[in-house]
Amino acid sequence: MVERILGSIRVFTLDLKNLIEHLTFTTDRVIVVKITKLDGREVSRGDLSYFQRMQDKERELSGLSAEELLRNDDANYAIPMSEIIEVRLTKPWWLRARYITILTKNRKYRWQATGIPPIPKVAKTHQFIEILQPVFAEKLSIKPSLLGK
Protein backbone atom coordinates (compact mmCIF):
# COMPACT_ATOMS: atom_id res chain seq x y z
CA MET A 1 0.00 0.00 0.00
CA VAL A 2 1.24 3.50 -0.87
CA GLU A 3 1.83 5.82 2.07
CA ARG A 4 -0.62 8.75 1.94
CA ILE A 5 -0.50 12.06 3.80
CA LEU A 6 -3.72 12.46 5.81
CA GLY A 7 -3.22 15.93 7.31
CA SER A 8 -0.94 18.25 9.28
CA ILE A 9 -1.07 20.33 12.42
CA ARG A 10 1.30 23.22 13.15
CA VAL A 11 2.85 22.90 16.59
CA PHE A 12 5.33 24.67 18.85
CA THR A 13 7.93 22.68 20.77
CA LEU A 14 7.80 22.81 24.56
CA ASP A 15 11.54 22.60 25.08
CA LEU A 16 14.30 25.17 24.80
CA LYS A 17 14.62 24.63 21.03
CA ASN A 18 11.72 27.04 20.35
CA LEU A 19 10.80 25.36 17.08
CA ILE A 20 7.70 25.69 14.97
CA GLU A 21 7.06 22.25 13.48
CA HIS A 22 4.41 20.35 11.58
CA LEU A 23 3.05 17.04 12.71
CA THR A 24 2.29 15.41 9.37
CA PHE A 25 0.07 12.37 9.68
CA THR A 26 0.38 9.58 7.13
CA THR A 27 -1.09 6.10 6.84
CA ASP A 28 2.16 4.67 8.32
CA ARG A 29 3.67 7.27 10.64
CA VAL A 30 3.73 10.75 12.11
CA ILE A 31 6.45 12.83 10.51
CA VAL A 32 7.75 15.71 12.62
CA VAL A 33 8.87 18.43 10.20
CA LYS A 34 10.95 21.41 11.33
CA ILE A 35 9.55 24.66 9.92
CA THR A 36 11.51 27.45 11.64
CA LYS A 37 13.11 28.51 14.90
CA LEU A 38 11.27 31.10 16.94
CA ASP A 39 13.60 33.74 18.34
CA GLY A 40 12.20 35.34 21.48
CA ARG A 41 14.03 38.58 20.71
CA GLU A 42 12.15 38.89 17.40
CA VAL A 43 8.83 38.49 19.15
CA SER A 44 9.67 40.86 22.01
CA ARG A 45 10.60 43.69 19.64
CA GLY A 46 7.60 43.10 17.38
CA ASP A 47 9.64 41.63 14.52
CA LEU A 48 7.41 39.22 12.62
CA SER A 49 10.11 37.85 10.31
CA TYR A 50 9.64 34.39 11.88
CA PHE A 51 6.07 34.49 10.57
CA GLN A 52 7.29 35.12 7.02
CA ARG A 53 9.90 32.34 7.37
CA MET A 54 7.13 30.00 8.53
CA GLN A 55 4.89 30.82 5.57
CA ASP A 56 7.78 30.54 3.09
CA LYS A 57 8.79 27.13 4.45
CA GLU A 58 5.19 25.89 4.43
CA ARG A 59 4.88 26.88 0.76
CA GLU A 60 8.18 25.14 -0.02
CA LEU A 61 7.02 21.91 1.65
CA SER A 62 3.50 21.79 0.22
CA GLY A 63 3.07 18.99 -2.26
CA LEU A 64 6.09 16.97 -1.08
CA SER A 65 5.71 13.25 -0.43
CA ALA A 66 6.11 11.82 3.08
CA GLU A 67 9.62 10.59 2.26
CA GLU A 68 10.60 13.98 0.81
CA LEU A 69 9.33 15.73 3.96
CA LEU A 70 11.39 13.43 6.13
CA ARG A 71 14.56 14.01 4.08
CA ASN A 72 14.05 17.80 3.83
CA ASP A 73 15.90 18.56 7.08
CA ASP A 74 18.20 16.52 9.33
CA ALA A 75 16.06 17.58 12.30
CA ASN A 76 12.95 15.88 10.86
CA TYR A 77 12.01 12.46 12.22
CA ALA A 78 9.21 9.91 12.11
CA ILE A 79 7.17 8.13 14.76
CA PRO A 80 5.82 4.83 13.35
CA MET A 81 2.08 4.29 13.88
CA SER A 82 2.86 0.78 15.15
CA GLU A 83 4.71 2.29 18.14
CA ILE A 84 1.98 4.78 19.13
CA ILE A 85 -0.03 3.70 22.15
CA GLU A 86 -2.09 6.85 22.74
CA VAL A 87 -2.56 10.39 21.39
CA ARG A 88 -3.96 13.01 23.77
CA LEU A 89 -5.50 16.38 22.99
CA THR A 90 -5.66 18.43 26.19
CA LYS A 91 -6.10 21.97 27.43
CA PRO A 92 -5.24 23.19 30.92
CA TRP A 93 -8.20 25.11 32.36
CA TRP A 94 -6.07 28.21 33.00
CA LEU A 95 -4.69 28.49 29.42
CA ARG A 96 -6.13 28.89 25.93
CA ALA A 97 -3.42 26.62 24.54
CA ARG A 98 -4.14 23.09 23.38
CA TYR A 99 -1.55 20.35 23.68
CA ILE A 100 -0.92 17.20 21.65
CA THR A 101 0.85 14.37 23.41
CA ILE A 102 1.96 11.20 21.63
CA LEU A 103 2.81 8.24 23.84
CA THR A 104 4.88 5.42 22.38
CA LYS A 105 6.26 2.28 23.96
CA ASN A 106 9.51 4.12 24.77
CA ARG A 107 8.86 7.84 24.76
CA LYS A 108 6.47 10.72 25.39
CA TYR A 109 6.31 13.57 22.85
CA ARG A 110 4.45 16.81 23.59
CA TRP A 111 3.73 19.99 21.64
CA GLN A 112 1.48 23.04 21.81
CA ALA A 113 -0.95 22.86 18.89
CA THR A 114 -1.20 26.22 17.14
CA GLY A 115 -2.83 25.81 13.76
CA ILE A 116 -3.50 23.94 10.57
CA PRO A 117 -1.22 24.78 7.66
CA PRO A 118 -1.34 26.74 5.44
CA ILE A 119 -3.88 28.86 7.38
CA PRO A 120 -1.85 31.31 9.51
CA LYS A 121 -4.38 31.84 12.32
CA VAL A 122 -4.81 29.73 15.44
CA ALA A 123 -7.17 26.80 14.91
CA LYS A 124 -10.16 25.87 17.05
CA THR A 125 -10.38 22.61 18.98
CA HIS A 126 -12.88 21.00 16.62
CA GLN A 127 -10.46 21.57 13.70
CA PHE A 128 -7.73 19.62 15.53
CA ILE A 129 -10.20 16.84 16.33
CA GLU A 130 -11.30 16.65 12.67
CA ILE A 131 -7.71 15.88 11.70
CA LEU A 132 -6.75 13.62 14.63
CA GLN A 133 -9.91 11.47 14.90
CA PRO A 134 -9.73 9.73 11.50
CA VAL A 135 -5.99 9.12 11.88
CA PHE A 136 -5.91 7.72 15.41
CA ALA A 137 -9.53 6.55 16.08
CA GLU A 138 -9.49 4.57 19.35
CA LYS A 139 -5.96 5.73 20.22
CA LEU A 140 -7.16 9.35 20.51
CA SER A 141 -8.01 10.67 23.96
CA ILE A 142 -9.71 14.07 24.16
CA LYS A 143 -10.00 15.92 27.44
CA PRO A 144 -13.79 16.21 28.08
CA SER A 145 -13.59 19.96 28.71
CA LEU A 146 -12.48 20.43 25.08
CA LEU A 147 -15.56 18.87 23.58
CA GLY A 148 -18.04 21.40 22.29
CA LYS A 149 -15.39 24.14 21.84
Side-chain angles (χ1 to χ4, degrees), residues 13 22 24 37 50 55 65 69-70 79 85 91-92 101 103 115 142:
T13 59
H22 283 185
T24 299
K37 183 168 178 58
Y50 78 91
Q55 289 184 316
S65 70
L69 286 173
L70 192 55
I79 306 168
I85 297 168
K91 178 190 164 308
T101 304
L103 300 173
I142 302 168

Side-chain angles (χ1 to χ4, degrees), residues 46-113:
D47 180 353
L48 298 179
S49 60
Y50 78 91
F51 190 74
Q52 187 62 50
R53 286 193 314 269
M54 178 187 76
Q55 289 184 316
D56 292 346
K57 185 70 171 187
E58 286 178 348
R59 272 193 292 278
E60 174 192 328
L61 297 175
S62 68
L64 295 183
S65 70
E67 202 54 45
E68 290 168 327
L69 286 173
L70 192 55
R71 288 192 313 251
N72 186 267
D73 192 299
D74 289 340
N76 298 352
Y77 60 96
I79 306 168
M81 288 293 189
S82 60
E83 291 185 14
I84 296 174
I85 297 168
E86 183 180 9
V87 177
R88 297 178 185 155
L89 180 62
T90 58
K91 178 190 164 308
W93 64 269
W94 65 91
L95 293 173
R96 292 185 64 208
R98 286 141 185 96
Y99 297 94
I100 295 174
T101 304
I102 296 179
L103 300 173
T104 68
K105 298 170 187 170
N106 302 315
R107 187 161 173 202
K108 177 181 177 179
Y109 303 86
R110 191 164 185 251
W111 302 269
Q112 180 179 334

Side-chain angles (χ1 to χ4, degrees), residues 16-39:
L16 297 177
K17 294 177 185 172
N18 292 332
L19 297 176
I20 297 173
E21 299 176 323
H22 283 185
L23 300 182
T24 299
F25 308 104
T26 77
T27 49
D28 301 333
R29 55 195 168 171
V30 177
I31 301 173
V32 182
V33 181
K34 178 184 171 188
I35 302 300
T36 190
K37 183 168 178 58
L38 184 63
D39 184 343

